Amino acid sequence: DSGVTQTPKHLITATGQRVTLRCSPRSGDLSVYWYQQSLDQGLQFLIHYYNGEERAKGNILERFSAQQFPDLHSELNLSSLELGDSALYFCASSGNAGDEQYFGPGTRLTVT
Amino acid sequence: GQQLNQSPQSMFIQEGEDVSMNCTSSSIFNTWLWYKQDPGEGPVLLIALYKAGELTSNGRLTAQFGTTRKDSFLNISASIPSDVGIYFCAGQAGLRGAQKLVFGQGTRLTINP
């Protein structure tokens, strides 16, 4: 158990809908990272937050957004969902930006 | 953008054999990390490397940070059935405070008992 929690574990929704994925980092970790893992594309970095501020962006679509709250939990919002958004979404946390990242169990999103 | 080439893509070995896999990059990384992922689970950190030339062990696993800072290697000795899974290398670069991990494509390890 990495200490990172993610909810929900599974999510099934229809195209065009909007969903919110939630992540709670390990106790004391200030950094939260979001990744997308598709079958054919491996792990792709989406976005990094440190203590509530956005620090780095990867290949995150404009339909996706994230935020980190004062209690350090983070949410990833996915809107106008398309079939191709079906994937595993992971968050990871680290104590400081640049430290080892510990991954949560992931949320499996299925868009039908 | 930065890319990592991880090889081999898959390995089929007998229990008890040693395993070697590696990652190469087109650019320099400050940190190399090795993860293992089981189906439907999140990646689990195995080894972290912070200095060029560094050699670090974790049980039967040994990893090295290449001297050019553009490659890393992972070895598993005397493989056992629970070693089955996908192994990912990841490189970290950029300014402190704004770093991101770049992942290799993974090495899928299958062990025949």
Side-chain angles (χ1 to χ4, degrees):
Chain A
D1 185 351
S2 67
V4 179
T5 61
Q6 288 186 249
T7 57
K9 188 146 179 73
H10 300 279
L11 198 49
I12 301 174
T13 189
T15 55
Q17 296 297 306
R18 173 190 169 95
V19 297
T20 297
L21 312 184
R22 183 187 169 103
C23 168
S24 292
R26 293 187 316 163
S27 177
D29 282 359
L30 299 177
S31 273
V32 170
Y33 309 79
W34 285 97
Y35 292 86
Q36 180 190 58
Q37 187 176 38
S38 305
L39 201 58
D40 58 349
Q41 291 205 4
L43 279 153
Q44 299 291 324
F45 167 73
L46 296 178
I47 199 163
H48 167 212
Y49 275 84
Y50 176 81
N51 202 18
E53 291 185 7
E54 181 187 304
R55 283 298 180 92
K57 259 186 175 177
N59 298 323
I60 187 167
L61 300 172
E62 283 192 12
R63 300 183 286 108
F64 296 0
S65 64
Q67 57 184 134
Q68 186 179 25
F69 295 87
D71 67 352
L72 301 177
H73 91 272
S74 178
E75 292 181 355
L76 179 67
N77 300 298
L78 315 176
S79 61
S80 302
L81 285 167
E82 301 175 0
L83 294 177
D85 296 328
S86 296
L88 274 165
Y89 291 84
F90 290 103
C91 83
S93 75
S94 67
N96 291 297
D99 287 353
E100 301 150 13
Q101 295 183 23
Y102 293 87
F103 282 76
T107 293
R108 180 177 292 280
L109 174 66
T110 302
V111 182
T112 62
Chain B
Q2 294 168 317
Q3 292 185 340
L4 286 184
N5 291 314
Q6 185 172 350
S7 65
Q9 288 189 346
S10 59
M11 302 184 74
F12 298 85
I13 63 169
Q14 300 288 351
E15 184 177 348
E17 286 185 18
D18 296 344
V19 171
S20 291
M21 60 191 78
N22 69 83
C23 273
T24 59
S25 167
S26 57
S27 53
I28 289 171
F29 286 112
N30 300 325
T31 303
W32 282 95
L33 305 172
W34 284 91
Y35 289 87
K36 177 177 182 272
Q37 186 176 24
D38 292 327
E41 304 292 328
V44 174
L45 181 64
L46 299 174
I47 292 179
L49 302 159
Y50 295 102
K51 273 174 51 175
E54 180 181 355
L55 187 71
T56 298
S57 293
N58 178 7
R60 293 176 297 104
L61 278 61
T62 302
Q64 184 161 25
F65 194 142
T67 53
T68 65
R69 295 171 64 194
K70 292 185 178 181
D71 57 4
S72 181
F73 308 87
L74 176 70
N75 296 315
I76 305 173
S77 63
S79 57
I80 59 177
S82 62
D83 292 333
V84 166
I86 303 178
Y87 291 80
F88 290 97
C89 62
Q92 187 153 261
L95 298 174
R96 190 166 182 87
Q99 296 174 326
K100 61 179 184 180
L101 282 182
V102 177
F103 279 83
Q105 305 95 320
T107 295
R108 182 181 296 272
L109 180 62
T110 303
I111 297 176
N112 300 315

